[in-house]
Amino acid sequence: PGDHAPAYNPEKAVTYEGGIKSDWFDKKLRINAAGFYTDYTDIQISQYDGAHATNHIVNAAKATYAGFELEGTALLGHGFQLDTSVGYVDPEYQEYFIFNTAGAKVNVANVARFPYVAKLTYNIGLEYQTQETPVGIFTAEMNYAFRSQRYFFPLDQTTQFQEAVKSGQLHDLSASLTLADIPLGWDGVKVKAMIWGENLLDQQYIEQGIDFGSLGIGTASFSRPRSFGGRLSASF
């Protein structure tokens, strides 16, 4: 029989979580908070097998994730509403095994990264909505989102373009203006018109990094530039 990929075990995660959901000031302020701790074992990782010039899935790592999430909504009166959220996670490897050039199993947990994981994210949104008017209901929204930098590969030593193709920080400002329930005199028909703008800061950031280290090539896909659009819809 020919060579077969080695067997591997399922990943296991045990999560401990606690939190609170609360309403204040006659439900004009809502605050939800939660903290979590996850013990993650037998993490499945694709690693290069130099002896057979191929990649195999192996249970190479053990890690913990600790963090919190906080959400808040405030009704400010006169049609204004403020929404905000914050998320933070601090992952840490206890084990991350690779085979070095001599074929020995080495724990590199102190330098391994968590691909696609951003430690900090937060969001702030402001909305204003009118009462019903002769032409419909106007809603204006503005939203700002932040995400800390992300890496796309676990090990710098095997990814020569790691720093060049990491995502960097995300600063995303968007806005929209909607006119809903436009009265056209047709029973049961609801018409809505919207105009919107995305990436209003015109920030260029990497959404996906690719490393072809063996070919001496690193490449990336970038975010869309500042863009605007509109939408007209009807439901009946």
Side-chain angles (χ1 to χ4, degrees):
D3 293 333
H4 296 281
Y8 55 91
N9 297 319
E11 297 177 327
K12 299 175 184 177
V14 178
T15 299
Y16 307 89
E17 184 173 348
I20 184 172
K21 295 183 177 183
S22 62
D23 290 323
W24 303 79
F25 308 114
D26 196 24
K27 297 188 177 180
K28 289 183 173 60
L29 175 64
R30 172 170 295 172
I31 299 176
N32 299 331
F36 62 88
Y37 180 88
T38 300
D39 190 3
Y40 204 176
T41 58
D42 285 333
I43 299 176
Q44 297 169 2
I45 296 170
S46 177
Q47 289 190 352
Y48 183 70
D49 180 355
H52 299 88
T54 187
N55 288 319
H56 290 313
I57 301 294
V58 296
N59 298 109
K62 177 181 179 181
T64 55
Y65 291 71
F68 68 86
E69 296 175 346
L70 179 65
E71 298 177 346
T73 299
L75 302 178
L76 304 178
H78 304 288
F80 286 95
Q81 177 175 307
L82 179 68
D83 295 283
T84 184
S85 63
V86 179
Y88 178 80
V89 60
D90 185 20
E92 181 180 351
Y93 285 113
Q94 285 74 52
E95 297 175 354
Y96 194 110
F97 289 107
I98 63 171
F99 290 94
N100 63 16
T101 55
K105 194 175 182 180
V106 180
N107 185 7
V108 293
N110 61 322
V111 295
R113 303 186 186 277
F114 288 80
Y116 295 92
V117 175
K119 282 194 170 185
L120 175 64
T121 59
Y122 63 81
N123 185 90
I124 302 173
L126 181 64
E127 175 185 308
Y128 171 71
Q129 186 175 92
T130 68
Q131 300 290 327
E132 187 172 356
T133 73
V135 295
I137 299 173
F138 286 94
T139 303
E141 296 181 79
M142 181 167 286
N143 190 82
Y144 172 76
F146 170 85
R147 184 185 67 210
S148 59
Q149 71 175 10
R150 299 184 301 169
Y151 287 87
F152 299 112
F153 307 98
L155 296 174
D156 294 359
Q157 66 195 69
T158 58
T159 315
Q160 68 184 73
F161 297 105
Q162 175 85 287
E163 288 295 324
V165 299
K166 67 182 180 182
S167 72
Q169 295 181 346
L170 167 68
H171 300 270
D172 186 20
L173 181 65
S174 61
S176 66
L177 179 64
T178 303
L179 177 60
D181 295 344
I182 302 173
L184 297 180
W186 301 336
D187 291 340
V189 178
K190 294 184 177 181
V191 177
K192 180 168 67 174
M194 172 190 287
I195 56 173
W196 51 263
E198 295 179 345
N199 191 14
L200 296 178
L201 301 177
D202 202 23
Q203 184 197 19
Q204 187 179 62
Y205 58 91
I206 294 176
E207 293 185 325
Q208 170 70 56
I210 304 172
D211 183 283
F212 298 103
S214 60
L215 302 177
I217 298 172
T219 185
S221 59
F222 289 83
S223 60
R224 293 175 59 187
R226 182 189 295 121
S227 57
F228 302 92
R231 184 180 300 117
L232 182 65
S233 61
S235 60
F236 48 88

